[in-house]
Amino acid sequence: MTTAQKPIRQRGWKPVWIAIAGTAVGLIGLLRPELALGTLNFVLSSFVAAAPLVIPGLLLSAAILASSAGARLSGSLKGNVGVAVLTAAALGTVTPVCGVTVLPLMTGLLSAGVPLAPVMAFWLSSPVTDPAMVAATVAVLGVELAVAKTLAAFLIGLGGGGVVAVLARQPWIAKPLRATLSHPSDWDARIAGTDRTSAVVWRFWQVPARRERFLREVRSMTRLILICLTPAFAAEYLLQRFLAPETFADLLGTDSPWAIPLAVFVGAPAYIDGYAALPLTRSLMDHGMAPGAALAFLVSGGVVSIWGALAIVPVLRIRPFVLYLALGVGGSLAAGYLYAAIA
């Protein structure tokens, strides 16, 4: 195998970071054993709860790469970016997954060469709402806010994907994954002695090289998920433990010019769960929170919450990650102000 044909390997965390993380966990365990046990229990139960959504995405991601379907999909989407962004935004709006549980599939598509624009459209719209969330929002907050939230999710995905499509020629858009993650390579495309124009091999398990590729991707993606989701779930538990629902009531519970920005920049980072946020939002609205601020809080919380962002940091390079946050924050602000103007 020549140098150009060698597969790209993933590098793990550097020993110094492993040592720092291990030391921090050890100190917490010694000083606050009940907190450490509670965090561990929550992380493990969260993985169990997320498994039905994460595992299919992981297997599908590996199959896309092993079968060469990614190269074919990438080629078709590059020629129809507008349609791809529109479709991805619509699918994200109705798909019952969040930005965390869809992580392996999105990473796999990017690794296979799928353009960032449709991936970003799905990534922005999927955490905000889904059919079950729409029903819950109608029950707690009413039809009007539920419809506004659904439209906001679709438009933020569409707008975000459109912005990325405009920037598609930028090198950091073309290769958004971190260097520790694999990008498309000639070796991947010729893994079974084929080229990029070859047909997709759906029964990839019958070809030893493709089967090895599938297993290698499953292993590396599982490792990535553990690295990304463990601190994300831990952060979610700690937020639930130390932030009471009324923490931001004084800041968000008033109808002021600052209500919408505060809902995004103060409330959203502490956003914990879409369903748990509904009664909290109802309570804040009962205390005077403006409808525009309520929508901004619900929309931005799904996209730029701390635990959601922690899961994406190890995947995207700095610029694409900052762009993701900017699109999420900007779209949430726009949704809040627009809804305030027409509500």
Side-chain angles (χ1 to χ4, degrees):
M1 181 181 293
T2 64
T3 303
Q5 294 176 317
K6 290 182 179 179
I8 299 176
R9 295 181 178 179
Q10 294 188 5
R11 296 190 300 272
W13 284 0
K14 293 181 178 180
V16 63
W17 293 114
I18 296 177
I20 292 174
T23 302
V25 172
L27 288 175
I28 294 175
L30 290 174
L31 299 176
R32 296 287 300 275
E34 76 289 350
L35 180 62
L37 289 175
T39 303
L40 177 61
N41 180 66
F42 183 84
V43 169
L44 293 176
S45 61
S46 296
F47 271 114
V48 172
L53 293 174
V54 172
I55 292 176
L58 185 154
L59 296 177
L60 180 59
S61 171
I64 287 173
L65 292 169
S67 64
S68 295
R72 180 64 59 86
L73 180 61
S74 174
S76 63
L77 291 179
K78 287 178 180 178
N80 303 278
V81 177
V83 175
V85 168
L86 178 64
T87 303
L91 287 175
T93 304
V94 300
T95 303
V97 294
C98 66
V100 172
T101 54
V102 80
L103 180 67
L105 180 58
M106 298 296 98
T107 305
L109 290 175
L110 291 174
S111 296
V114 173
L116 180 60
V119 172
M120 182 70 77
F122 189 93
W123 223 331
L124 288 170
S125 61
S126 64
V128 179
T129 191
D130 57 65
M133 181 62 69
V134 171
T137 305
V138 169
V140 178
L141 300 176
V143 175
E144 186 175 297
L145 196 55
V147 172
K149 185 182 178 184
T150 303
L151 288 176
F154 172 71
L155 292 176
I156 288 174
L158 185 64
V163 169
V164 174
V166 172
L167 300 173
R169 294 183 180 276
Q170 297 294 324
W172 54 277
I173 292 291
K175 290 188 175 182
L177 292 177
R178 288 187 176 273
T180 53
L181 300 173
S182 59
H183 287 279
S185 68
D186 291 338
W187 185 87
D188 292 321
R190 297 195 303 269
I191 190 170
T194 60
D195 57 25
R196 293 186 182 274
T197 62
S198 64
V200 177
V201 180
W202 295 114
R203 297 183 179 182
F204 58 86
W205 56 88
Q206 296 179 347
V207 182
R210 291 182 180 274
R211 185 169 60 248
E212 188 275 334
R213 167 65 164 168
F214 174 80
L215 295 175
R216 184 165 62 88
E217 287 300 327
V218 168
R219 289 193 298 269
S220 63
M221 194 66 68
T222 299
R223 182 164 163 269
L224 172 67
I225 290 171
L226 292 175
I227 292 174
C228 292
L229 297 194
T230 298
F233 288 141
E236 181 181 4
Y237 173 79
L238 294 174
L239 286 173
Q240 290 179 345
R241 178 75 180 268
F242 294 108
L243 286 180
E246 63 273 13
T247 301
F248 299 103
D250 293 338
L251 295 173
L252 304 178
T254 57
D255 187 4
S256 72
W258 299 105
I260 292 176
L262 285 174
V264 174
F265 292 104
V266 178
Y271 184 95
I272 296 172
D273 176 75
Y275 292 99
L278 296 178
L280 172 60
T281 304
R282 177 74 273 168
S283 176
L284 292 173
M285 293 182 71
D286 289 341
H287 287 82
M289 186 181 195
L295 180 64
F297 174 76
L298 291 172
V299 172
S300 63
V303 181
V304 295
S305 61
I306 291 177
W307 71 284
L310 280 174
I312 302 175
V313 168
V315 174
L316 295 180
R317 294 177 184 268
I318 294 299
R319 287 187 179 182
F321 175 71
V322 171
L323 178 61
Y324 169 85
L325 293 182
L327 292 172
V329 170
S332 302
L333 288 171
Y337 281 116
L338 180 60
Y339 187 59
I342 63 178

